[in-house]
Amino acid sequence: MYSPSEVIYRCRRCGDLLSVEYDADLMRPETAKKWRGRSLSVWRYAELLPISDRSKIVSLGEGGTSLNRCSRLGSELGLKEVYVKNEGENPTGSFKDRGMTVGVTRALELGIKIVACASTGNTSASLAAYAARAGLECVVLIPSGKVALGKLIQAMIYGARVIQVKGNFDDALKIVEELCLTQPIYLLNSINPYRLEGQKTIAFEIWDQLDGRVPDEVIVPVGNAGNISAIWKGFRELYSMGLIDKLPRMIGIQAEGAAPIANLIKMGLKEIEFVENPETIATAIRIGSPVNWKRAVGAIKDSNGFAETISDEEILKAQRLLASYEGIFVEPAGAASIAGLIKLVKNGLVRQDDLIVCIATGHGLKDPDIVLRQFPKPVEVEADVNTLMKLLSS
Ligand SMILES: Cc1ncc(COP(=O)(O)O)c(C=O)c1O
């Protein structure tokens, strides 16, 4: 057990990652009574977030994302109740904002002046925004040439120092962790347990939005594996508090070319085999050595869940399906949960009347190039209504 006043990311004895735990007297149904009447957002659940001085909260209005019942998608797949939690609605367009509002507030509490992260794009966009809001310096390391343009632009405009690393995300994370261990710079990757506390509110919101019902399955795209671990922690806390009497099965989805966790689980390997050169068009989950892998495997196994891999082609198909059937435009990594669901249905791994929630992790506009490449150029007409009518009737 370590004190909250320490800046520490890993256990000094075993090197494993740390997690935030709360006093037993908070883990009661009474705590949730305080949440009523507050708007749906990360900070609705303030009692179960590890911040002592609420006057310092750095917020951009994160959380409170919609949980869309997707009837058209559901009937296409022969499923009764499918929901998509649209995390693209967060202030910088991804679920990372839930973690950053807590992590950057924590940085202020600690009197930190500089924050840093390695990123496949969304973490840097989010950290840069929250650092700007808090008046902190921000350093972000990204894999050279492998970050979607929309995300890169975000980090730049928010004023972060953006550094491209000649290597992949795993290489960037390794050096930024080393940097933060020796310098007064606060690391805000998902090895920081405060960040995951913010992200666990996805589970709290789902519970609230379903009026206390618990999904049978929660399907999550997995990269560094922080988010699936955080969401599972959220559901476990609701369970410990006596607010729910069952837990969902956690389903982790990885891209075929970057699937160390899914391979471990699917193939029943004895040890995890990290992927040295991960590859996928879903750049946000192009990660070969997920730092949170142990927690994620724990979440999947403890929940009686499972993991699946999907091809890039399946990701793009799911992205289009979700947009054209439900009006929800997500980036490729965000569509991984939908692609995963389609595969689970094909393989008979979910039941027709299951209550299923897919987490759509990031907004589609972050990576428009990938979509543009798949469509022909729109037709051009003269500015003449007759020509237009002729075209429409053809
Ligand atoms: C859009 C999107 N989806 C999924 C993930 C994967 O989340 P995690 O690294 O917590 O597994 C990321 C991480 O960068 C992301 O940006």
Side-chain angles (χ1 to χ4, degrees):
M1 184 115 85
Y2 297 93
S3 150
S5 58
E6 273 190 79
V7 177
I8 181 168
Y9 308 103
R10 292 179 187 270
C11 170
R12 283 199 196 92
R13 260 178 299 149
C14 67
D16 272 353
L17 298 177
L18 302 171
S19 70
V20 175
E21 299 301 329
Y22 297 86
D23 289 344
D25 61 347
L26 273 174
M27 304 312 279
R28 301 215 162 97
E30 288 68 38
T31 302
K33 287 192 184 142
K34 300 201 176 120
W35 302 345
R36 289 183 203 154
R38 295 181 192 157
S39 61
L40 196 72
S41 75
V42 167
W43 294 102
R44 173 180 170 94
Y45 312 101
E47 286 72 20
L48 287 189
L49 295 173
I51 295 300
S52 45
D53 183 357
R54 289 191 206 162
S55 70
K56 286 205 164 70
I57 289 175
V58 185
S59 174
L60 286 163
E62 51 292 319
T65 58
S66 52
L67 182 70
N68 301 280
R69 178 133 188 209
C70 292
S71 311
R72 294 193 70 218
L73 178 70
S75 67
E76 176 72 13
L77 300 177
L79 298 169
K80 256 195 188 145
E81 230 180 330
V82 179
Y83 292 84
V84 170
K85 179 93 171 134
N86 188 4
E87 288 296 290
E89 291 170 8
N90 276 298
T92 76
S94 85
F95 68 93
K96 307 279 179 170
D97 296 339
R98 295 179 182 272
M100 289 309 175
T101 184
V102 177
V104 171
T105 301
R106 167 81 179 146
L108 283 191
E109 280 192 342
L110 291 165
I112 301 275
K113 299 280 178 268
I114 312 173
V115 290
C117 69
S119 178
T120 54
N122 282 325
T123 302
S124 57
S126 182
L127 180 58
Y130 283 83
R133 189 125 173 106
L136 300 178
E137 265 184 65
C138 177
V139 179
V140 305
L141 271 61
I142 54 170
S144 206
K146 291 289 184 183
V147 165
L149 193 63
K151 302 175 189 179
L152 181 62
I153 289 167
Q154 284 181 293
M156 287 170 161
I157 192 78
Y158 294 134
R161 196 152 170 200
V162 180
I163 300 165
Q164 298 204 72
V165 174
K166 291 182 187 168
N168 58 32
F169 168 83
D170 305 298
D171 302 318
L173 181 58
K174 196 159 160 266
I175 62 170
V176 80
E177 188 177 350
E178 275 170 35
L179 175 82
C180 293
L181 287 178
T182 57
Q183 303 300 314
I185 304 178
Y186 194 51
L187 182 58
L188 273 163
N189 277 101
S190 57
I191 69 168
N192 184 318
Y194 287 81
R195 235 194 74 185
L196 296 193
E197 288 306 291
Q199 289 174 212
K200 79 182 176 189
T201 60
I202 291 179
F204 295 172
E205 287 187 9
I206 291 171
W207 167 73
D208 258 329
Q209 288 170 308
L210 291 173
D211 290 325
R213 291 166 74 209
V214 178
D216 294 297
E217 283 91 21
V218 177
I219 308 182
V220 190
V222 172
N224 222 6
N227 208 29
I228 191 167
S229 313
I231 297 170
W232 175 238
K233 186 173 190 282
F235 279 112
R236 271 197 298 115
E237 286 181 358
L238 294 174
Y239 188 83
S240 305
M241 292 165 82
L243 297 169
I244 55 177
D245 58 8
K246 66 168 241 188
L247 287 160
R249 294 200 294 163
M250 300 301 298
I251 319 282
I253 308 296
Q254 292 199 294
E256 270 171 7
I261 294 173
N263 289 341
L264 174 81
I265 290 174
K266 274 180 75 177
M267 297 179 199
L269 304 178
K270 277 217 178 90
E271 274 183 41
I272 190 151
E273 290 174 9
F274 294 129
V275 178
E276 209 166 304
N277 296 306
E279 220 26 276
T280 166
I281 45 123
T283 49
I285 52 172
R286 188 175 166 272
I287 294 175
S289 310
V291 283
N292 288 287
W293 74 268
K294 280 189 194 166
R295 287 205 256 245
V297 170
I300 292 168
K301 290 196 168 160
D302 294 350
S303 69
N304 201 22
F306 46 94
E308 189 50 273
T309 58
I310 39 150
S311 66
D312 282 356
E313 205 185 326
E314 286 168 324
I315 290 175
L316 294 178
K317 214 168 138 197
Q319 183 189 33
R320 247 159 114 160
L321 191 71
L322 185 64
S324 60
Y325 271 60
E326 300 290 351
I328 301 172
F329 181 27
V330 299
E331 65 170 286
S337 51
I338 315 299
L341 173 62
I342 296 169
K343 197 153 180 188
L344 300 184
V345 171
K346 237 185 241 163
N347 296 340
L349 291 169
V350 287
R351 285 174 311 223
Q352 200 189 357
D353 53 2
D354 278 355
L355 196 179
I356 299 168
V357 174
C358 293
I359 312 296
T361 42
H363 202 289
L365 286 175
K366 282 172 173 273
D367 197 357
D369 292 355
I370 224 115
V371 180
L372 220 49
R373 270 188 248 151
Q374 299 169 65
F375 286 87
K377 219 171 141 206
V379 287
E380 214 176 8
V381 289
E382 296 301 330
D384 163 52
V385 74
N386 291 326
T387 323
L388 175 64
M389 277 164 43
K390 214 160 139 194
L391 178 77
L392 290 177
S393 62
S394 68

